[in-house]
Amino acid sequence: RFDHAKIRDVLYGDIPEELRREYHRLVGEALFELDQTSFGGPAAAELAYHFQRAGDSRTAGYLVKAADIAKSSFANEEAVRLYSDAIPLLHGGDKVAAEESLADILSIMGRHDAALGSLEAASELAEDRGTKARLSRKGAEVSQRTGDFYAVLAQVAAAKAEFADLGGPEQGRLSIWEA
């Protein structure tokens, strides 16, 4: 580690890009080996950092793992950053889950418009109707926090109409809104 950031930046900047990527890959591999034996989850952020700079395909998985750890530790800003970095690298159900987790954190932080955007993105990608129903319900809950009760009623009515035949826990949760 360098005590002075400017010295580090100058030295780092003098390393050719291809060599920098290789160094990050080597550090990531070394951390990966240590993570297998001793670090456990906390090394995920470091692994994500080095694999991301190396252009390694494992980046997304470690970004999500690090984001989940940050979320469970109530490091919300860090979790938002990590999920946001991971989402463009993810596909399918993994992307839906990351968007939903991001929305959960954004909602807690009072960033309701961004939370609704993440829920909408997740819903567009979701293939499972149960997941779509859960995302619709969460959208209604976020809208309720903003005080937009007309949006809540519209979202709940649309979700209930769309998923009326679904049954299961999400149908029950949507039915609570009638009470």
Side-chain angles (χ1 to χ4, degrees):
R1 293 197 89 105
F2 291 95
D3 288 333
H4 201 287
K6 288 185 181 184
I7 294 171
R8 181 198 64 221
D9 291 345
V10 168
L11 291 173
Y12 189 77
D14 285 344
I15 301 171
E17 179 65 29
E18 191 172 306
L19 191 55
R20 260 190 272 168
R21 289 176 148 249
E22 180 62 15
Y23 287 159
H24 281 292
R25 187 190 65 73
L26 290 170
V27 171
E29 289 295 336
L31 285 172
F32 179 78
E33 289 301 318
L34 290 171
D35 188 52
Q36 299 301 307
T37 59
S38 62
F39 281 156
E46 288 295 318
L47 285 162
Y49 173 83
H50 289 290
F51 284 148
Q52 188 173 32
R53 275 145 189 80
D56 192 286
S57 62
R58 293 172 282 187
T59 300
Y62 280 106
L63 284 168
V64 170
K65 187 174 180 180
D68 290 343
I69 292 167
K71 180 181 176 184
S72 68
S73 302
F74 305 103
N76 294 335
E77 288 293 342
E78 179 74 359
V80 166
R81 184 186 64 77
L82 291 164
Y83 282 126
S84 297
D85 286 351
I87 286 169
L89 305 174
L90 296 168
H91 304 285
D94 292 335
K95 190 169 193 165
V96 171
E99 286 280 12
E100 183 176 2
S101 292
L102 176 59
D104 291 343
I105 296 167
L106 290 168
S107 179
I108 288 167
M109 296 171 71
R111 295 167 56 186
H112 302 299
D113 289 339
L116 289 169
S118 286
L119 289 169
E120 184 177 319
S123 185
E124 289 174 8
L125 294 169
E127 296 178 4
D128 174 68
R129 292 182 68 221
T131 300
K132 285 182 176 282
R134 183 180 66 250
L135 295 169
S136 293
R137 176 192 40 87
K138 285 186 172 188
E141 289 172 354
V142 172
S143 293
Q144 181 185 27
R145 290 185 194 111
T146 67
D148 189 353
F149 298 109
Y150 291 111
V152 172
L153 294 173
Q155 287 170 319
V156 169
K160 286 181 72 175
E162 176 72 24
F163 306 111
D165 64 327
L166 189 62
E170 285 307 321
Q171 187 65 36
R173 289 181 185 109
L174 285 169
S175 294
I176 290 172
W177 290 90
E178 288 180 333

